[in-house]
């Protein structure tokens, strides 16, 4: 009786190549198809641990923690200056799911910078922002806007303390005119004072007090 012999099954070569290509642990620089570069740790073929990514299109660099292929943990993001070509930091702080989240510092091209809390890539929580005109806002934020309680100190040292909504003065607040030695206390709505009282406050020490003091009622 004839015996039928079947050819022995052999594993395709691409199976072996695929196993060798699976990245896990610390690896040398790996180049993506689009030219991006990553040097650091891997887990199950995903960036995981400490590593540095260089994007070819923008030449931006991120160096820090990764988790399953996304920026997660502490790290810094830098871009080259268009004129000097030297790298300048854009953001240093905490990340979650590839977005700024937690405490961090952001540097803007205008020279302004913000240090404080973030959520889903936006300023949210408590933070301090330094503006180009010399003014400083410190207080609560929500979705990239001052929102809640906060203080805005102008370059003239005059300042506002009180409520904010969507980036504008809103609710009970106090505005200290330190240059004139006066204080306005009242209610604000979308940056406009609606009602309140104006009293002399430290008039004798003010550098430029008004000509006549406010009479007491």
């Amino acid at each position: 009786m004839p015996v039928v012999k079947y050819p022995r099954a052999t594993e395709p070569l691409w199976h072996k190549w695929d196993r060798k290509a699976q990245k896990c642990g610390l690896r040398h620089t790996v180049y993506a198809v689009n030219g991006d570069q990553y040097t650091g740790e891997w887990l199950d073929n995903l960036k995981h641990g400490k590593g540095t990514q260089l994007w070819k299109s923008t030449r931006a660099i991120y160096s820090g923690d990764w988790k399953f292929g996304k920026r997660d943990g502490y790290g810094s993001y830098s871009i080259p200056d268009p004129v000097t070509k030297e790298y300048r930091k854009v953001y240093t702080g905490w990340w979650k799911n590839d977005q700024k989240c937690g405490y961090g510092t952001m540097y803007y091209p205008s020279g302004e910078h913000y240090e404080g809390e973030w959520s889903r890539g936006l300023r949210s929580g408590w933070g301090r922002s330094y503006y180009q005109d010399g003014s400083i806002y410190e207080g609560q934020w929500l979705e990239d806007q001052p929102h809640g309680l906060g203080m805005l100190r102008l370059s003239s040292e005059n300042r506002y303390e009180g409520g904010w909504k969507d980036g504008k003065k809103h609710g009970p607040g106090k505005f200290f005119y330190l240059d004139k030695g006066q204080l306005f206390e009242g209610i604000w709505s979308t940056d406009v004072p609606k009602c309140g009282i104006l009293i002399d406050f430290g008039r004798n020490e003010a550098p430029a007090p008004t000509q006549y003091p406010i009479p007491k009622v």
Side-chain angles (χ1 to χ4, degrees):
M1 183 176 179
V3 178
V4 178
K5 293 184 178 180
Y6 296 96
R8 181 178 298 177
T10 58
E11 183 183 26
L13 286 177
W14 72 267
H15 283 188
K16 297 180 181 179
W17 297 335
D18 186 63
R19 282 199 301 270
K20 291 181 180 180
Q22 293 297 311
K23 296 174 283 295
C24 189
L26 182 63
R27 295 288 294 267
H28 292 294
T29 302
V30 175
Y31 295 85
V33 176
N34 61 3
D36 294 346
Q37 304 175 29
Y38 174 79
T39 306
E41 296 176 296
W42 298 78
L43 179 65
D44 295 333
N45 219 31
L46 294 173
K47 301 162 193 166
H48 191 92
K50 302 287 185 181
T52 300
Q53 168 92 13
L54 170 64
W55 286 270
K56 181 181 179 180
S57 59
T58 61
R59 306 305 297 172
I61 290 179
Y62 169 81
S63 181
D65 296 324
W66 296 78
K67 188 175 181 180
F68 301 119
K70 296 182 178 180
R71 290 169 288 187
D72 200 302
Y74 189 85
S76 62
Y77 179 78
S78 305
I79 61 174
D81 187 276
V83 179
T84 64
K85 305 303 180 182
E86 295 182 357
Y87 278 91
R88 62 174 183 85
K89 285 186 178 180
V90 176
Y91 175 80
T92 301
W94 293 91
W95 302 73
K96 185 176 182 180
N97 198 28
D98 223 27
Q99 294 182 321
K100 296 181 282 290
C101 187
Y103 191 89
T105 302
M106 181 81 173
Y107 301 91
Y108 298 92
S110 61
E112 301 176 353
H113 76 275
Y114 166 86
E115 54 186 33
E117 296 176 303
W118 298 77
S119 178
R120 293 181 295 180
L122 300 175
R123 293 171 286 186
S124 293
W126 190 269
R128 183 186 298 115
S129 186
Y130 298 83
Y131 298 101
Q132 190 175 16
D133 61 2
S135 58
I136 301 172
Y137 171 81
E138 181 176 3
Q140 294 175 304
W141 295 74
L142 181 65
E143 296 182 350
D144 240 17
Q145 297 285 352
H147 190 101
L149 295 177
M151 179 190 73
L152 175 65
R153 189 180 70 188
L154 305 177
S155 57
S156 62
E157 297 298 329
N158 294 341
R159 69 177 186 268
Y160 168 81
E161 298 177 2
W164 295 79
K165 184 179 180 181
D166 298 329
K168 297 181 179 180
K169 306 177 191 69
H170 192 88
K174 299 178 181 179
F175 200 105
F176 295 84
Y177 296 93
L178 299 182
D179 54 345
K180 298 179 180 180
Q182 292 181 325
L183 164 65
F184 176 84
E185 183 174 0
I187 304 296
W188 301 70
S189 178
T190 59
D191 254 356
V192 178
K194 293 298 184 179
C195 63
I197 58 173
L198 183 66
I199 61 174
D200 285 333
F201 178 81
R203 179 182 175 81
N204 295 332
E205 294 80 20
T210 55
Q211 185 176 359
Y212 301 104
I214 298 175
K216 294 183 179 180
V217 178

